[in-house]
Amino acid sequence: MAEAQSASAAIQAEQDSRKYVFTDWSVQSRVKPVVIASARGVWLYDIHGKAYIDFASQLVNVNAGHQHPRIIKAIKDQAEKLGYITPYLNTMPRTELARTIAEITPGDLTKCLFTSGGAEANENAIRIARLYTGRPKIITRYRSFHGATNGALSLSGDSRRWSAEPGMPGVVHALDAFCYRCSFNQKPQECNLECLSHLEELVWNEGPDQVAGIMVEPVVGANGIIVPPPGYMPGLRALCDKYGIMLIADEVMTGFGRTGEWFACQNWNVVPDIMTFAKGVNSGYVPLGGVIVRQPIADYFEDHTFFGGLTYAGHPLACAAALATIQVYKDEKMVENSRQMGRVLLRELEAMKERHPSVGDVRGIGLFCGVELVKDKETREMLVRWNGPTQGVGAEVREKALQSGLYMFGRWNILFVAPPLCINQDELKQGLAILDEALELADAAAARPT
Ligand code: PLP
């Protein structure tokens, strides 16, 4: 645990962070900075010495938990050997990591292009799809986030995209495979996957020989933890095969054990043509992302130029951290723990749904769950409007949880539960008890007349 700073030094640090640091996606005057001094496992410690359970793995990236000694050692050792090398030369951690990722990803996903993060991975993924197919268009979905660079934000579906528009041409958005709020008025298990028929209709409206790729998060992350119905991903694979469209899986958030499999696509035995990753690849200790492609795409670039490159792509420190992280996932059985603790988590959340009038739906897979807040369970009216102007009571619930020592991520009416994959049952239950109490705020808001 961290040494607490003196009260005056802590207050100064908070004021400086307000004054000098831009906070992402925020109206700056509303930011109340919490300055974290250190962390360990699933625990964070602020500069006052207060402890918080991390139910967000920060940005759903610190999958191995904070300050894992083996990852830190790997970074230190690599820094002493070779701190940087251009992507035109190579180095063992980069090569070994590419081979390791080819081994743990499904099917013939073979060749890795490294980037510094997820947005760049997605930018490169669509460039690869366009170069390989010779087609211009990309289909993504509204409930999606693919990153904050101009192209990646154009690919994204939620309201963050509006700030970048008109954005990148050639992107078309589809409706989602969101059973709790089905856009096609169908009931789960009784439907004919109208969400897939809609995608096929879209392909025909855009021109089957114009569409290079369909990019999806196999389990939607920041847009509400949406697990597709069982036939959706296999159906999407078949649809892409039918029209020669590249299936691009954005596994930036879902990859590396988050859903209880190494990669979320494996929950449905689907092999995408192109897969992007970042975050969990090295648990966020050093920035890293990448794209892995299937053999035919790799073969194509044997005699075609690949247009793309980044100074920090496949940084040796990041690759060394990734190799250590993947070994930690294996040795400490974190993917299995994600699956097992995920079942406990979903069971506990189901019980919470029964207790709280404001909890309309709980869902998820592995340690990747969401709690959807509603005004009314029958009508499913959202407690805070998705894409609306304020975060409303959703933010108040998270603030209350924070005061009680639980750090959570959420957006509008959805709260996310995605702790590090090393969490144990006691820690999970401690965090859930805090959430349970904080949800009373949402119940009170739901009960208020509109
Ligand atoms: N793709 C998904 C699914 C994400 O959740 C994110 C970030 O949250 C990104 C891409 C962008 O990754 P990065 O922030 O590393 O650019």
Side-chain angles (χ1 to χ4, degrees), residues 109-264:
L109 287 163
T110 305
K111 198 159 184 172
C112 266
L113 170 82
F114 288 111
T115 64
S116 327
E120 291 167 354
N122 287 331
E123 297 269 3
N124 280 286
I126 61 164
R127 190 173 306 159
I128 289 171
R130 284 170 163 168
L131 288 169
Y132 178 68
T133 60
R135 303 173 182 182
K137 297 188 191 181
I138 305 288
I139 297 178
T140 61
R141 298 177 305 190
Y142 280 105
R143 286 271 188 161
S144 70
F145 181 67
H146 298 293
T149 53
N150 195 55
L153 210 47
S154 302
L155 296 167
S156 302
D158 75 38
S159 60
R160 285 175 280 189
R161 168 176 45 86
W162 305 346
S163 65
E165 288 188 317
M168 178 175 62
V171 182
V172 182
H173 289 92
L175 292 169
D176 304 273
F178 187 7
C179 297
Y180 182 64
R181 297 192 179 280
C182 178
S183 303
F184 310 95
N185 290 322
Q186 301 298 315
K187 290 202 175 71
Q189 273 97 48
E190 292 175 18
C191 76
N192 292 312
L193 291 175
E194 280 75 3
C195 42
L196 264 184
S197 318
H198 157 73
L199 264 178
E200 186 159 14
E201 184 75 23
L202 204 58
V203 166
W204 275 104
N205 284 331
E206 295 300 328
D209 60 357
Q210 298 294 307
V211 180
I214 300 181
M215 177 183 277
V216 296
E217 296 165 70
V219 176
V220 172
N223 274 262
I225 317 286
I226 302 168
V227 186
Y232 184 82
M233 285 303 293
L236 185 55
R237 177 66 277 177
L239 177 71
C240 288
D241 288 341
K242 186 168 165 189
Y243 298 104
I245 295 169
M246 297 297 98
L247 175 55
I248 309 171
D250 175 348
E251 293 254 12
V252 167
M253 206 178 252
T254 49
F256 298 94
R258 178 55 58 192
T259 69
E261 293 285 345
W262 277 96
F263 296 92

Side-chain angles (χ1 to χ4, degrees), residues 43-116:
W43 294 93
L44 306 168
Y45 303 97
D46 74 11
I47 44 173
H48 301 279
K50 179 173 171 176
Y52 306 83
I53 302 177
D54 184 355
F55 253 24
S57 307
Q58 296 307 289
L59 282 173
V60 198
N61 58 338
V62 188
N63 289 7
H66 296 274
Q67 297 303 109
H68 197 293
R70 285 171 62 188
I71 305 174
I72 293 167
K73 181 171 185 313
I75 298 167
K76 281 186 182 164
D77 290 351
Q78 183 59 39
E80 282 179 3
K81 270 189 238 149
L82 178 66
Y84 178 78
I85 198 82
T86 159
Y88 289 112
L89 298 172
N90 231 320
T91 185
M92 280 319 284
R94 197 185 286 149
T95 304
E96 270 181 48
L97 179 61
R99 196 190 58 224
T100 305
I101 293 175
E103 281 165 9
I104 59 176
T105 47
D108 62 344
L109 287 163
T110 305
K111 198 159 184 172
C112 266
L113 170 82
F114 288 111
T115 64
S116 327

